[in-house]
Amino acid sequence: MRLRVGLIGLGEHWQSRYRPALRVLDDRFDVRAVYSTISKLAESTAEEFQADPIDGYRSLVYRCDIDAVLILKQCWLGWLPAMAACQAGKAVYWGAGLDFDPQGQQSVRKTIEQSGVAFMAELPRRFAPATLRLKELIATRLGAPRLIRVHRQAIAADSSTHLGPGACRTDDSELVELVDWCRYIVGRSPTAVSSVCEEDLFQSLILNYGKADQNRQRSAIAEIATDSTLPAQWKEAASFRSPAAMKVQCENGVAFIDLPNTLVWFDDAGRHVESLETECPVGERMLRQFHRSVTSLVLDLNGLVDAYEAASVVQAARQSHETGCRVDLAENR
């Protein structure tokens, strides 16, 4: 089945992720309309895909020749395009970031669930070839994760951007995805969170994964550590010899991930280096999954549920910083 889709916003990943994927998946997606707040970009993209440039997102989602919409950029419109698509009965691919309030925007989740449309929240780290290969190794060679460390590079802000006591300045969308990434690797939800914040920025966010007695699983710990020691004018140095994006210590070995395609792992036999450059790119994997979700008879909203859960964990981490205590997540669910 070839889905007739409309594009809403194009964003920073349009050229590197979505445009190549839509070209390769031409047999699955037919771009019919494009809306962007930058009219020239919408016009050139529409011309490339032989689609129509549209002046407003509501006009796009209510077109009779649109089956699904791809929302690819975060802007001042927020959730409005997604809500309009749900009201119009159109499937939604949400690639506009996960920076939202899980408590204050429960009505958004309820609207999506009640609409009955397919909705996929974008979680790129899950679909990276290195992540998928690590999941295979956990199931076959390495065993269950025990300790995870995620390295996150942040450029220090100017002192003039200080937010005041009790506030944490961070990229919530990225942090939510990192929390979800840890959950995906461990295979279950965290039971508690604690955090350390310094100079308005999360320095360390620690996730505890308690025992799952019914599955006889041992506990695990994940730490998301932020390196913000470099001044703002040294952006190029941030990526120079940085640690692996994720280090995972398992029952039978240890693995190091550099997204999207590099995985180095060690077990009793020694070192194993895997370069997964020939694997299907992340953008193509995600759009294939979205196509399956839309054409399947089974409604799957796990991505949205997991995104909301991860956002709730980040919110609880702020509470931990403010109170100085670990927060039990089971009490917040």
Side-chain angles (χ1 to χ4, degrees):
M1 178 180 176
R2 197 165 184 237
L3 290 179
R4 301 168 299 178
V5 300
L7 308 179
I8 298 179
L10 299 176
E12 61 179 314
H13 297 297
W14 167 248
Q15 292 292 342
S16 61
R17 179 183 293 171
Y18 307 113
R19 180 175 173 269
L22 287 170
R23 281 300 189 188
V24 171
L25 300 175
D26 183 66
D27 60 331
R28 288 177 170 83
F29 295 97
D30 177 16
V31 178
R32 293 292 184 92
V34 181
Y35 166 73
S36 173
T37 53
I38 305 174
S39 58
K40 289 293 184 182
L41 184 57
E43 291 171 3
S44 61
T45 302
E47 182 179 359
E48 178 183 358
F49 285 90
Q50 297 182 343
D52 298 326
I54 306 297
D55 292 333
Y57 70 89
R58 293 189 66 86
S59 300
L60 186 150
V61 300
Y62 280 99
R63 282 177 53 136
C64 60
D65 63 341
I66 295 292
D67 302 312
V69 295
L70 310 182
I71 304 173
L72 305 179
K73 181 180 180 181
Q74 180 71 279
C75 65
W76 64 271
L77 294 170
W79 287 96
L80 291 177
M83 296 297 95
C86 290
Q87 293 167 5
K90 308 298 173 67
V92 177
Y93 178 93
W94 180 262
L98 304 174
D99 186 5
F100 56 87
D101 179 359
Q103 302 300 324
Q105 296 179 338
Q106 280 292 334
S107 60
V108 172
R109 176 176 170 179
K110 185 176 180 181
T111 299
I112 295 170
E113 292 173 340
Q114 291 179 345
S115 69
V117 303
F119 188 101
M120 178 174 168
E122 181 180 83
L123 297 165
R125 285 175 173 81
R126 285 190 178 198
F127 290 87
T131 300
L132 297 176
R133 175 58 178 150
L134 175 60
K135 289 287 286 185
E136 292 177 0
L137 290 170
I138 287 172
T140 57
R141 301 286 295 275
L142 294 176
R146 293 287 172 259
L147 180 63
I148 297 175
R149 182 176 174 84
V150 176
H151 177 261
R152 178 169 174 263
Q153 183 68 57
I155 301 298
D158 297 333
S159 58
S160 59
T161 61
H162 185 75
L163 301 181
C168 286
R169 172 185 51 77
T170 184
D171 181 350
D172 277 2
S173 185
E174 181 194 23
L175 198 56
V176 168
E177 192 188 342
L178 291 174
V179 169
D180 175 80
W181 194 24
C182 293
R183 180 201 178 281
Y184 183 68
I185 295 297
V186 175
R188 61 184 188 272
S189 301
T191 56
V193 62
S194 56
S195 66
V196 176
C197 185
E198 184 178 337
E199 295 182 356
D200 306 326
L201 184 72
F202 280 118
Q203 296 298 315
S204 179
L205 192 152
I206 299 175
L207 305 168
N208 293 83
Y209 297 83
K211 297 179 181 179
D213 296 332
Q214 66 272 23
N215 297 323
R216 299 180 181 274
Q217 291 177 311
R218 292 172 55 191
S219 60
I221 295 176
E223 180 187 12
I224 301 172
T226 302
D227 182 0
S228 60
T229 58
L230 295 177
Q233 66 268 27
W234 293 355
K235 293 181 180 180
E236 186 177 352
S239 60
F240 182 72
R241 292 187 179 178
S242 59
M246 175 182 279
K247 174 185 175 182
V248 186
Q249 183 176 329
C250 303
E251 290 177 327
N252 306 316
V254 61
F256 300 83
I257 283 182
D258 278 312
L259 294 175
N261 301 316
T262 303
L263 174 66
V264 180
W265 56 283
F266 298 79
D267 63 1
D268 292 340
R271 182 175 65 178
H272 311 266
V273 180
E274 300 191 28
S275 181
L276 307 166
E277 298 289 343
T278 59
E279 296 290 322
C280 181
V282 172
E284 191 176 328
R285 286 182 186 273
M286 291 190 296
L287 288 183
R288 286 181 185 274
Q289 178 63 39
F290 178 61
H291 185 273
R292 283 195 291 269
S293 298
V294 176
T295 56
S296 172
L297 296 177
V298 179
L299 183 62
D300 183 4
L301 295 176
N302 286 339
L304 177 66
V305 173
D306 291 342
Y308 261 77
E309 180 181 304
S312 298
V313 172
V314 174
Q315 194 174 67
R318 284 200 189 86
Q319 180 184 344
S320 171
H321 163 64
E322 292 168 0
T323 62
C325 301
R326 189 175 77 165
V327 176
D328 186 348
L329 297 172
E331 295 178 357
N332 295 345
R333 293 192 181 112

